[in-house]
Amino acid sequence: LSPKDGGVFIKSVERDSPASRAGIQSGQLLVELNRTPVRNAAHFRKLAADAGDTVVLLLQSERGRYYAALSSD
């Protein structure tokens, strides 16, 4: 997986975090946040700052793409 066409590569996920509980793993590519394509890490930070308490992510893994919903707790 590579972010050559946009997206953000996930390097690590904290244990017992909302991302971990949603099944997000290192090595995946974050493609969209709330249906907005993520261009790069700076763009992701901007989208995340404006997103609110619950977000829907589109992720790419070796097995394909899937959506995950995250809520901050």
Side-chain angles (χ1 to χ4, degrees):
L1 298 174
S2 170
K4 66 182 180 209
D5 296 321
V8 175
F9 182 73
I10 299 171
K11 290 184 179 181
S12 64
V13 178
E14 290 184 33
R15 178 183 280 169
D16 297 323
S17 67
S20 173
R21 288 190 293 275
I24 298 171
Q25 300 175 355
S26 62
Q28 295 177 326
L29 187 66
L30 173 58
V31 179
E32 293 180 357
L33 188 147
N34 290 341
R35 304 252 184 202
T36 300
V38 175
R39 296 187 301 261
N40 54 43
H43 186 231
F44 167 75
R45 286 189 292 275
K46 165 113 177 61
L47 293 173
D50 298 337
D53 292 336
T54 302
V55 296
V56 176
L57 306 175
L58 176 60
L59 298 137
Q60 173 81 39
S61 72
E62 294 292 333
R63 295 181 288 177
R65 289 184 170 197
Y66 71 96
Y67 286 97
L70 267 76
S71 295
S72 60
D73 352 276

